[in-house]
């Protein structure tokens, strides 16, 4: 039997695609390899949202050449996902020892492309648009208790910095019944938490039903009996009162919202084509907090967008302080060829962008720490994810608000056996990025 190894770069969508790539390969007779060095097939599922992910990919693919020249010439290397979609044939010009290139719309072709490469035929295939969803393919889930479920693919928003609409295509929704039926199967298979995935979940259904139906989808998914529902990502301009109400009233929908703001200055938000103002964003936050008291909020922020002045950046800091986010992902702007922003000439010098980024990162850390400190003494229902990556004697678990809790593993128990269990934990110590807790007597 041939073995495979999948290396994933980028977002949750790519993690989901990788589970489907693994499922597809296993259905075709491959077995998982735990080390890249010993696999017969190595698949790179790629990301090109920022330059760093791009560079890491090409660096890692190049370093695999040694395996092929060092006595294992039959190893097949496949590059798929966003870079495959964007670069197609050009991937092989940059790294000639790559055997297979596929895109975001034809994951299902991978086994046939590998067969073609093995018999010396052309194995580069990128489709201009998609007709199916990754969730329709077989899956080899990484965690037996968690399921990624794609509800839309692509994006119609065209933020000027973003390459996603180019590599993932226009937004397409998956029929509501298909999604619910997948969740029902997952529940029957022991899954306790699903994450509904889309670049903008709030516009779910617009293309097939004429108007967004995300709140209805949340109700339908909750009716399957799944214990926890999370979703990503929400565009602030499209989050509806009905979705906020679903967050407030459906116990399975976790009290956590990732609502990327990207910037705090109206002139930069306009240049980014985000289609809301800082005032509108802040109003949304007020509405959400009024309806869902105590909800945890996270966001994405870009620093150093072309034309960003010191005053613009101060507006970002001010907005972050005003909202007091529980968590934020922060990025230095990275020009992506082919996007409108890449043609802007008033670029921010790297050292200025770095200095602003560092100031923002400090603020985000302080806010996260303050938010975590407010948890100390609380007893929270936590979903055990497994053992902590650093210490096998420590459990990693998540509160409903998506806070990571480290808990000492009880004696005589394996972390593996507790993964997917909902337990009660008392929070004893706060750290900037996680909490330390202890299990209480009662299970939830
Ligand atoms: N669809 C989601 C949204 O609108 O929030 C997220 C898409 S993107 C994969 C994730 C994050 O990457 C974005 O929210 C943005 O902050 C960041 N990002 C996208 N393009 C970028 C660029 N060119 N430079 C730096 N950060 C970027
Ligand atoms: Fe990119 Fe904007 Fe679409 Fe998110 S909403 S994927 S940032 S274009």
């Amino acid at each position: 039997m041939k073995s495979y190894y999948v290396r994933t770069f980028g977002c949750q969508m790519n993690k989901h695609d990788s589970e489907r790539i693994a499922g597809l390969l296993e259905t075709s007779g491959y077995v998982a390899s735990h080390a890249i060095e010993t696999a017969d097939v190595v698949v790179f599922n790629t990301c090109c949202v920022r330059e760093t992910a791009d560079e890491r990919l090409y660096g890692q693919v190049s370093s695999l050449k040694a395996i092929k020249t060092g006595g294992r010439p039959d190893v097949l290397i496949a590059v798929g996902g966003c870079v495959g979609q964007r670069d197609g044939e050009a991937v092989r010009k940059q790294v000639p020892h790559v055997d297979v290139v596929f895109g975001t719309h034809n994951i299902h072709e991978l086994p046939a492309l590998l067969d073609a490469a093995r018999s010396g035929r052309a194995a580069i295939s990128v489709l201009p648009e998609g007709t199916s969803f990754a969730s329709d393919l077989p899956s080899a889930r990484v965690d037996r208790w968690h399921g990624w479920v794609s509800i839309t693919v692509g994006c119609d928003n065209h933020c000027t910095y973003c390459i996603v609409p180019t590599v993932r295509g226009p937004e397409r929704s998956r029929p509501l019944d298909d999604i619910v039926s997948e969740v029902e199967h997952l529940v029957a298979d022991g899954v306790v938490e699903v994450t509904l995935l889309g670049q903008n979940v709030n516009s779910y259904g617009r293309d097939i039903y004429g108007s967004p139906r995300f709140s209805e989808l949340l109700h339908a998914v909750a009716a399957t009996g799944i214990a926890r529902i999370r979703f990503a990502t929400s565009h602030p301009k499209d989050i509806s009162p009905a979705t906020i109400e679903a967050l407030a009233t459906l116990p399975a929908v976790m009290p956590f919202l990732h609502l990327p703001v990207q910037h705090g200055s109206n002139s930069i938000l306009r240049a980014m084509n985000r289609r809301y103002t800082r005032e509108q964003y802040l109003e949304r936050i007020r509405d959400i907090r009024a309806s869902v008291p105590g909800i945890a909020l996270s966001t994405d922020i870009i620093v150093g967008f072309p034309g960003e002045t010191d005053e613009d950046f101060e507006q970002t800091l001010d907005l972050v302080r005003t909202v007091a986010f529980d968590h934020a992902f922060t990025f230095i702007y990275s020009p992506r060829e082919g996007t409108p922003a890449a043609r802007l000439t008033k670029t921010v010098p790297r050292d200025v962008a770095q200095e602003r980024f560092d100031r923002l990162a400090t603020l985000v850390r302080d806010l996260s720490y303050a938010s975590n400190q407010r948890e100390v003494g609380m007893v929270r229902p936590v979903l055990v994810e497994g053992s902590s990556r650093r210490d096998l004697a420590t459990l990693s678990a998540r509160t409903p608000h998506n806070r990571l809790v480290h808990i000492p593993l009880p004696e005589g128990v394996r972390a593996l056996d507790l993964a997917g269990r909902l337990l009660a934990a008392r929070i004893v110590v706060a750290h900037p990025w996680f909490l330390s807790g202890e299990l209480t007597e009662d299970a939830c």
Side-chain angles (χ1 to χ4, degrees):
M1 266 202 228
K2 301 253 178 246
S3 63
Y4 74 91
Y5 185 94
V6 183
R7 173 140 298 166
T8 312
F9 295 82
C11 63
Q12 294 167 325
M13 244 163 253
N14 276 15
K15 286 185 189 156
H16 175 52
D17 286 349
S18 288
E19 289 189 343
R20 299 297 163 161
I21 288 170
L24 201 59
L25 292 176
E26 289 182 17
T27 311
S28 308
Y30 292 83
V31 291
S33 160
H34 295 294
I36 200 165
E37 298 77 16
T38 53
D40 300 305
V41 168
V42 178
V43 184
F44 287 90
N45 186 18
T46 62
C47 169
C48 59
V49 166
R50 283 171 295 279
E51 205 172 8
T52 38
D54 234 306
E55 285 165 357
R56 272 178 58 218
L57 163 78
Y58 278 116
Q60 291 196 15
V61 177
S62 300
S63 68
L64 270 194
K65 189 175 177 188
I67 295 182
K68 285 194 153 207
T69 52
R72 299 189 59 220
D74 296 338
V75 170
L76 292 182
I77 299 173
V79 171
C82 297
V83 173
Q85 185 71 30
R86 185 195 61 188
D87 294 355
E89 181 83 46
V91 170
R92 284 248 283 246
K93 294 214 172 75
Q94 199 148 337
V95 268
H97 58 285
V98 165
D99 304 281
V100 171
V101 180
F102 62 105
T104 52
H105 303 305
N106 62 336
I107 290 175
H108 57 280
E109 287 185 12
L110 179 60
L113 289 168
L114 290 169
D115 289 344
R118 213 168 272 121
S119 55
R121 283 175 283 128
I124 297 180
S125 175
V126 174
L127 304 182
E129 56 190 53
T131 50
S132 61
F133 290 85
S135 289
D136 294 332
L137 300 171
S139 176
R141 286 199 312 277
V142 170
D143 297 308
R144 61 185 158 77
W145 49 270
H146 178 265
W148 305 106
V149 178
S150 64
I151 66 166
T152 64
V153 291
C155 185
D156 287 342
N157 281 318
H158 301 284
C159 303
T160 56
Y161 51 81
C162 184
I163 194 78
V164 169
T166 312
V167 291
R168 293 271 174 180
E171 181 176 277
R172 280 184 301 119
S173 303
R174 191 171 167 216
L176 195 140
D177 291 348
D178 283 4
I179 299 169
V180 173
S181 141
E182 184 184 355
V183 177
E184 282 167 350
H185 281 106
L186 290 170
V187 171
D189 202 24
V191 166
V192 287
E193 179 181 271
V194 289
T195 305
L196 307 178
L197 292 176
Q199 293 297 347
N200 176 14
V201 292
N202 299 117
S203 53
Y204 166 74
R206 190 150 45 198
D207 54 328
I208 49 175
Y209 302 117
S211 59
R213 288 182 63 179
F214 185 57
S215 59
E216 286 169 53
L217 179 68
L218 286 176
H219 281 269
V221 171
T224 64
I226 188 89
R228 288 186 167 194
I229 303 170
R230 300 189 183 277
F231 54 85
T233 300
S234 281
H235 196 300
K237 76 179 164 52
D238 291 319
I239 188 162
S240 68
T243 295
I244 299 174
E245 194 189 331
L247 261 164
T249 55
L250 293 172
V253 178
M254 291 295 100
F256 167 79
L257 183 66
H258 182 60
L259 198 64
V261 65
Q262 311 296 359
H263 212 278
S265 143
N266 281 335
S267 66
I268 300 292
L269 286 172
R270 212 172 309 116
M272 288 177 160
N273 190 32
R274 288 293 288 179
R275 290 185 279 168
Y276 52 81
T277 60
R278 65 177 273 133
E279 292 75 20
Q280 286 165 336
Y281 184 88
L282 290 171
E283 200 180 315
R284 283 282 145 89
I285 296 289
R286 273 193 294 276
D287 292 346
I288 293 161
R289 283 202 165 127
S291 299
V292 197
I295 189 169
L297 295 169
S298 80
T299 198
D300 289 348
I301 300 169
I302 297 177
V303 172
F305 187 81
E308 181 187 75
T309 61
D310 282 341
E311 292 70 39
D312 290 321
F313 176 65
E314 290 299 330
Q315 294 269 296
T316 291
L317 292 180
D318 182 69
L319 183 137
V320 171
R321 261 186 235 111
T322 305
V323 177
F325 289 105
D326 299 276
H327 186 65
F329 298 93
T330 51
F331 310 103
I332 291 183
Y333 168 71
S334 157
R336 304 285 61 204
E337 205 184 314
T339 59
R343 295 194 294 272
L344 298 174
T345 48
K346 269 174 79 181
T347 53
V348 175
R350 179 73 204 189
D351 57 333
V352 174
Q354 185 66 52
E355 190 267 335
R356 289 177 188 167
F357 178 86
D358 293 345
R359 284 174 64 198
L360 177 62
T362 304
L363 174 60
V364 165
R365 180 188 179 279
D366 291 350
L367 289 172
S368 170
Y369 191 26
S371 153
N372 280 348
Q373 281 170 321
R374 289 190 290 274
E375 287 292 294
V376 174
M378 303 281 186
V379 174
R380 297 289 191 195
V382 295
L383 177 58
V384 178
E385 298 185 338
S387 59
S388 135
R389 259 179 284 171
R390 286 201 212 137
D391 176 7
L392 293 180
T394 299
L395 289 175
S396 275
R398 292 264 163 194
T399 69
H401 299 86
N402 208 30
R403 294 187 175 97
L404 176 65
V405 191
H406 283 171
I407 301 163
L409 181 67
E411 243 170 68
V413 187
R414 292 187 315 166
L416 195 66
D417 297 330
L418 288 180
R421 290 267 304 276
L422 276 163
L423 302 173
R426 179 173 295 101
I427 309 305
V428 285
V429 183
H431 310 271
W433 305 123
F434 69 98
L435 301 163
S436 295
E438 59 194 15
L439 293 179
T440 66
E441 294 296 302
D442 0 302
C444 299

